[in-house]
């Protein structure tokens, strides 16, 4: 399961302390020097440095009214949109999802590519898709780690050509809100045993209540089941960077819809609140809060309400969401934080 880096309390300490010792250097494999123009094929994106990122598309029967470029979460893959694809296609949306570097079938599986490389890849992918579908609104959707990548991409000097951003439980649980015992142990282990990998799943922690989706992910050979220490450290660096990028979401930004669930066991409420507190009041950002939704909103058994809200928001970001989750979100932003 793609849950490895988000370990809570005693589970995190047990997992980190159980690692064997042995010293080596943390590894990051970013994009290489440019070799050619990026390209979009039916089954892959080719980046400027020649890296081939496998691509999956779900297309509606008629020409699409909007295009979704979808970025998966940590240890997940391009298959993460398998569950909601039919409903989104039926509504006239074309979906594209690619394996980000270090994940799925992309190069250097299991090795961290660096936050800048992930953000640059997302912007390149968006430009390629915009060229394939000229005149059609392009919405960028990111789940968990993918949401953090989009926060960076959206706030860079040359952002993607997006008509809007959908951030599903964005991974922003960085050092600002993470317990010091976890970050301290991880920093030590990153320098002692950076390439040691541990099982990604944690008993009792579930990213969705959809058991069929969980079984599909468990059987999928693209799902990473063991996570290296230095890769986890890279993810935390990305989450730090994503949180720091939030103040740069200004009024000229495309609209942003942030989706968060009350049953999220992987990104705590304090982290999401910290993100919302950093987004400027004048930014065109809206939070949709669902009390019964888990970390993977589009795979939950209650995903229909989230999908309906996303579709309505794409049609008109200014109108209230059908489910009322935006009204709930306003109340949640100032309510006492629940225990986690």
């Amino acid at each position: 399961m793609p849950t490895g880096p988000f370990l809570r309390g005693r589970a995190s300490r047990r997992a980190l302390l159980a690692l064997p010792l042995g010293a080596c250097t943390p590894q990051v494999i970013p994009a290489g020097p440019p070799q050619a123009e990026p390209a979009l094929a039916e089954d892959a994106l080719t980046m400027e440095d020649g890296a081939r990122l496998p691509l999956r598309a779900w297309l509606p029967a008629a020409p699409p009214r909007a295009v979704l470029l979808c970025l998966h979460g940590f240890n997940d893959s391009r298959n993460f949109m398998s569950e909601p694809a039919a409903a989104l296609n039926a509504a006239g949306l074309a979906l594209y999802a690619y394996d980000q570097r270090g994940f799925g079938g992309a190069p250097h599986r299991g090795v961290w590519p660096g936050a800048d490389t992930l953000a640059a890849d997302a912007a390149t992918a968006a430009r390629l898709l915009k060229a394939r579908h000229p005149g059609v609104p392009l919405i960028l959707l990111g789940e968990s780690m993918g949401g953090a990548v989009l926060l960076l991409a959206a706030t860079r000097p040359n952002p993607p050509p997006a008509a809007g951003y959908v951030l599903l439980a964005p991974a922003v649980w960085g050092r600002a809100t993470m317990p010091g015992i976890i970050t301290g142990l991880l920093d030590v282990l990153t320098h002692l045993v950076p390439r040691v990998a541990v099982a990604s799943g944690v008993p009792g922690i579930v990213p969705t209540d959809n058991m069929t989706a969980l079984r599909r992910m468990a059987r999928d050979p693209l799902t990473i089941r063991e996570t290296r220490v230095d890769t986890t450290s890279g993810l935390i660096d990305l989450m730090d960077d994503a949180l720091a990028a939030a103040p740069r979401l200004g009024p000229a930004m495309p609209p942003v819809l942030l989706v968060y669930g009350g049953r999220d066991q992987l990104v705590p409420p304090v982290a999401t609140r910290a993100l919302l507190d950093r987004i400027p009041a004048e930014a065109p950002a809206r939070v949709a809060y669902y009390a019964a939704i888990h970390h993977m909103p589009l795979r939950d058994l209650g995903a229909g309400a989230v999908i309906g809200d996303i579709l309505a928001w794409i049609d008109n970001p200014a109108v209230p969401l059908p489910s009322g989750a935006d009204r709930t979100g306003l109340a949640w932003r100032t309510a006492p934080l629940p225990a986690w």
Side-chain angles (χ1 to χ4, degrees):
M1 302 300 174
T3 60
F6 300 99
L7 305 179
R8 291 171 56 179
R10 295 178 182 176
S12 65
R13 294 190 285 273
R14 286 198 301 269
L16 292 172
L17 290 171
L19 293 170
L21 295 180
C24 54
T25 304
Q27 187 177 22
V28 176
I29 303 181
Q35 298 180 3
E37 290 295 318
L40 171 61
E42 294 304 314
D43 62 346
L45 298 162
T46 302
M47 298 291 106
E48 284 185 320
D49 65 340
R52 184 180 184 276
L53 308 183
L55 176 75
R56 184 172 179 185
W58 296 264
L59 303 177
R65 64 183 181 91
V67 175
L68 281 181
L69 172 60
C70 308
L71 273 63
H72 63 74
F74 192 77
N75 287 347
D76 214 337
S77 74
R78 61 187 184 272
N79 291 332
F80 86 109
M81 294 297 288
S82 296
E83 282 74 32
L88 292 167
N89 282 166
L93 272 61
L95 279 62
Y96 294 86
Y98 66 93
D99 288 342
Q100 299 188 74
R101 295 183 199 237
F103 301 94
H108 309 298
R109 176 179 167 92
V111 181
W112 187 246
D116 288 341
T117 290
L118 293 172
D121 285 347
T124 297
R127 294 185 187 102
L128 291 170
L129 278 180
K130 188 64 177 176
R132 173 175 285 188
H133 296 278
V136 181
L138 174 64
I139 307 298
L140 272 57
L141 178 149
E143 179 181 85
S144 193
M145 182 191 79
V149 171
L150 290 184
L151 279 168
L152 289 188
T155 54
R156 289 163 64 100
N158 191 17
Y165 294 90
V166 177
L167 309 179
L168 305 175
V172 290
W173 192 31
R175 290 174 175 84
T177 54
M178 189 174 286
I181 184 66
I182 297 178
T183 56
L185 281 171
L186 183 59
D187 288 344
V188 170
L189 293 170
T190 299
H191 290 88
L192 289 177
V193 286
R195 303 186 190 190
V196 169
V198 297
S200 298
V202 180
I205 304 297
V206 292
T208 175
D209 60 357
N210 186 337
M211 294 301 107
T212 300
L214 287 174
R215 286 191 289 270
R216 179 193 62 74
M217 288 186 285
R219 293 192 299 264
D220 192 337
L222 296 180
T223 302
I224 293 178
R225 295 173 178 80
E226 293 187 338
T227 306
R228 289 169 42 141
V229 172
D230 53 4
T231 301
T232 299
S233 180
L235 175 66
I236 293 178
D237 291 340
L238 167 64
M239 294 193 289
D240 287 339
D241 292 343
L243 196 60
R248 300 197 295 273
L249 293 172
M253 290 286 303
V256 176
L257 177 65
L258 191 152
V259 173
Y260 185 69
R263 296 183 180 175
D264 193 326
Q265 295 179 290
L266 300 176
V267 176
V270 65
T272 303
R273 285 278 192 87
L275 171 63
L276 296 175
D277 289 345
R278 287 164 171 77
I279 295 176
E282 63 272 16
R286 185 186 304 196
V287 59
Y289 177 80
Y290 306 83
I293 291 294
H294 296 71
H295 185 64
M296 297 175 173
L298 298 186
R299 283 176 268 196
D300 257 18
L301 297 178
V306 182
I307 291 172
D309 285 347
I310 291 173
L311 293 173
W313 177 85
I314 289 173
D315 287 339
N316 188 344
V319 302
L321 300 179
S323 75
D326 49 344
R327 295 192 300 273
T328 307
L330 286 173
W332 177 77
R333 290 186 68 166
T334 58
L337 283 173
W340 192 79

